[in-house]
Amino acid sequence: MAVATRQSEKELIEAAQQGDAGAFGSIYDLFADRVYRHILYRIGSPSDAEDLMQQTFMKAWQAIGRYRISEVPLIAWLLTIAHNSVVSYFRGKRDSVPLNIEMSPPDGAGEPYDALERRYDQAIVRRAVAALPAEQQMVVSMHFLEELDYTDIARALGKTENNIRVIAHRGLKRMRAAMEGRA
Amino acid sequence: MSRKTSEELTQAIDRALHGGRAVSDAADTEAGKDLMALVPIAQSLRLDGVEHLPEHRREQGRQRLLAAISQAGSAPKPHFTWPGWLRPTAAGSLAALLSGAAVVYAAQDAPPESVLYPVHQVTEQVAQVTQQVTESLLLPPAATPTTAATPTTSASLPSPSSRNAVPTPLQTTLPRPAESASATGLSGESRGRDSEGGDKSERDEGFGRDQSRLSTPTAGTTATSRQRDREGDQGEGRSSSSSEPAGTGPSDGRFGGDSNGRGGDDGRRGGAAGSPSAAGSAGRSSQSTVNGPRLSVTAQATITATPAAIPASGATPAATATSGSGRDSGGRNDSLRRDDDGQHGR
């Protein structure tokens, strides 16, 4: 199933690279939700996240000719574009980092106390993520949120895997310091 | 924090996140404490609570995207990508070029005992060759002397030590008046005067003077237009000076011609062939085959000095064969002085 999906994904990419907008629309269908949630996690505003997602896919369409299937998974490539959009977004809104969005309880959340505890934690965590330098934000969110391999992240960012691991480690330590400072 | 620690920690965190080894197993080590603190943070990084994109919003977004794509009009163009092997090659070439340039720059003032001195020498040689090639390329083709009228200077020029010796080599290698004349475009007049030979210095003198004034060196006679300009200017003055002593005999005339080579060569072959341009052609031709204008100046100076040395030694039969040699002394000295001046001027 996964192989078939990957095959179809490859065909879609190739068709899009030939200028097939319909194929790119199918790519959008495949990855829109994931990109949207990633952006939403980072910025907290659903409407802005939707706009940024649109920007991300538009940029991806413009740059799809440069994408190499063999080097990086498409989602990693799309999230890299999304990250740049988020960075630009925060650069434009330097003073406001709206991370006060209501979190829906996770699937299978237990007691109300647990859900509250989790929501509270998530707000702190997201603030800590938002406080990270852009590169650490990128690596931490791509690996721990999107569960991408360090190898794929390294390829997407043009760095070595060890370098990405160091960045992730520093990011976590920084988050810890920020969260302990808040606590 | 070392890279290895980061690598191990991130691996341990991944294992802990995916239900591998318990974090508490390593809690007694420094890295374990780090791990204990970081794993909960990593665990809290989850998208679980982030809402999904509603289906209708996704469909709307798709429509908007396709509309924007069709509005943009142009399909994505495949971009040229450099082959993988070309990047390191290009980078290596650039690095080699830059480092080479740096070494050459550093070798500019290298003393002989320096390691860079060979580089300095090679650089100078290359610069000389480049200059010669550039100059030869920049010359108009018409100004390039033909081989028929260009004796090899190195073989024909007498060395300083042999100045007082018989200038036979010079005679044999310098173009014959006929060649010279043909090269100069001077016609039968000078050739006729050549054939007359003799000591008719007055007539030759006048001719030389006239020629020096009237004739301008033709392109065919000169190695370079620059030379022509310089020497043409000098030639006029020298013809008048040399016309006083009036070189007489053939050999002397040749020297006289050479000494006056740039115009005052009325004495060549009885002065007749030594029309300024003809003599100039001989002198210049011999220069031109060497290495261009700069070296030719040296050659001229050498030749010019020859007659001046003759009275001092006073014994070279060929050089002093004619009575003109005695008379020449004033003029020669004069011309020598001017040549020197001219050389310094350059």
Side-chain angles (χ1 to χ4, degrees):
Chain A
M1 181 64 183
V3 174
T5 307
R6 208 173 300 138
Q7 183 62 28
S8 65
E9 183 183 313
K10 185 184 174 190
E11 288 167 2
L12 288 174
I13 293 165
E14 286 173 348
Q17 285 177 329
Q18 297 301 317
D20 186 345
F24 193 74
S26 300
I27 290 173
Y28 175 90
D29 289 340
L30 281 174
F31 297 107
D33 184 61
R34 201 164 169 188
V35 172
Y36 169 79
R37 293 179 77 201
H38 180 86
I39 295 172
L40 181 60
Y41 184 91
R42 302 276 298 275
I43 68 172
S45 163
S47 59
D48 288 348
E50 211 174 319
D51 287 344
L52 289 182
M53 181 195 66
Q54 289 289 327
Q55 285 181 25
T56 299
F57 277 97
M58 198 60 208
K59 286 178 186 172
W61 166 256
Q62 289 164 350
I64 191 77
R66 284 198 292 269
Y67 172 69
R68 288 189 181 185
I69 299 170
S70 58
E71 288 186 357
V72 184
L74 185 60
I75 183 62
W77 187 68
L78 288 172
L79 290 177
T80 307
I81 299 173
H83 169 76
N84 293 332
S85 300
V86 169
V87 169
S88 300
Y89 170 83
F90 280 125
R91 205 170 283 154
K93 297 188 172 188
R94 213 171 275 264
D95 298 329
S96 60
V97 184
L99 287 174
N100 52 358
I101 186 173
E102 279 295 309
M103 303 290 289
S104 58
D107 295 337
E111 296 298 313
Y113 175 80
D114 291 341
L116 185 66
E117 184 72 18
R118 188 163 187 101
R119 189 159 64 239
Y120 177 77
D121 284 345
Q122 282 298 311
I124 291 175
V125 171
R126 290 173 64 185
R127 284 181 188 278
V129 171
L132 291 175
E135 194 176 50
Q136 292 177 6
Q137 263 188 61
M138 175 99 176
V139 172
V140 164
S141 60
M142 284 178 88
H143 181 69
F144 295 108
L145 291 176
E146 303 295 337
E147 300 182 348
L148 293 173
D149 288 345
Y150 285 117
T151 311
D152 290 339
I153 300 170
R155 284 180 185 161
L157 300 184
K159 295 177 182 293
T160 64
E161 186 181 333
N162 276 346
N163 198 348
I164 294 296
R165 286 182 182 275
V166 170
I167 292 169
H169 184 206
R170 286 177 183 164
L172 288 178
K173 286 183 74 174
R174 196 165 182 144
M175 282 179 67
R176 175 190 169 196
M179 290 163 74
E180 285 177 353
R182 284 179 185 278
Chain B
M1 182 74 59
S2 70
R3 283 177 177 270
K4 194 178 176 187
T5 310
S6 290
E7 192 178 339
E8 287 171 353
L9 267 173
T10 50
Q11 283 173 352
I13 289 169
D14 285 349
R15 279 197 300 269
L17 289 177
H18 296 99
R21 202 175 83 167
V23 176
S24 56
D25 291 355
D28 52 341
T29 64
E30 186 67 28
K33 288 174 187 170
D34 225 6
L35 188 63
M36 291 278 285
L38 296 181
V39 166
I41 295 171
Q43 281 175 330
S44 66
L45 283 163
R46 288 286 176 265
L47 285 172
D48 296 346
V50 181
E51 68 182 45
H52 289 267
L53 181 64
E55 187 64 24
H56 70 281
R57 300 294 299 169
R58 186 180 61 77
E59 189 57 36
Q60 285 177 358
R62 188 180 199 274
Q63 297 304 325
R64 277 197 294 162
L65 178 69
L66 293 179
I69 287 173
S70 64
Q71 240 180 6
S74 60
K77 295 180 182 66
H79 293 267
F80 173 76
T81 51
W82 293 91
W85 58 269
L86 197 58
R87 287 184 193 176
T89 306
S93 303
L94 185 65
L97 192 68
L98 289 176
S99 57
V103 168
V104 168
Y105 181 76
Q108 273 184 340
D109 300 324
E113 65 270 17
S114 170
V115 180
L116 294 174
Y117 189 66
V119 178
H120 173 70
Q121 284 181 313
V122 170
T123 308
E124 282 192 340
Q125 286 172 359
V126 169
Q128 281 180 353
V129 171
T130 307
Q131 186 184 5
Q132 288 168 11
V133 170
T134 307
E135 285 181 357
S136 65
L137 288 175
L138 289 176
L139 289 176
T144 306
T146 59
T147 51
T150 55
T152 54
T153 308
S154 57
S156 62
L157 289 176
S159 65
S161 61
S162 63
R163 275 177 195 163
N164 295 333
V166 180
T168 307
L170 192 58
Q171 286 180 339
T172 56
T173 53
L174 283 174
R176 302 190 68 77
E179 295 172 7
S180 176
S182 63
T184 56
L186 288 178
S187 50
E189 189 179 5
S190 61
R191 257 182 271 145
R193 286 168 188 272
D194 278 347
S195 62
E196 285 173 31
D199 297 334
K200 303 192 176 186
S201 58
E202 286 303 319
R203 189 181 56 181
D204 297 337
E205 218 179 286
F207 177 74
R209 226 179 285 143
D210 289 341
Q211 284 296 323
S212 67
R213 291 190 191 107
L214 294 175
S215 69
T216 57
T218 59
T221 65
T222 56
T224 69
S225 56
R226 266 182 289 163
Q227 274 182 302
R228 233 180 347 193
D229 293 342
R230 289 183 202 141
E231 293 169 6
D233 291 344
Q234 293 170 357
E236 196 166 353
R238 282 187 192 133
S239 68
S240 61
S241 70
S242 63
S243 65
E244 293 169 17
T248 49
S251 62
D252 187 37
R254 180 171 294 279
F255 271 104
D258 285 335
S259 70
N260 298 319
R262 287 161 283 178
D265 192 10
D266 51 20
R268 175 189 291 271
R269 311 250 179 227
S275 70
S277 57
S281 75
R284 287 169 203 141
S285 296
S286 65
Q287 305 154 10
S288 63
T289 51
V290 188
N291 273 330
R294 193 170 298 169
L295 188 50
S296 71
V297 175
T298 309
Q300 282 183 344
T302 306
I303 297 168
T304 306
T306 307
I310 292 168
S313 63
T316 308
T320 58
T322 65
S323 58
S325 64
R327 282 186 286 157
D328 269 348
S329 59
R332 283 177 192 140
N333 289 337
D334 191 24
S335 65
L336 176 60
R337 182 164 45 77
R338 282 185 217 169
D339 276 347
D340 289 340
D341 291 343
Q343 222 176 342
H344 290 307
R346 285 176 205 176

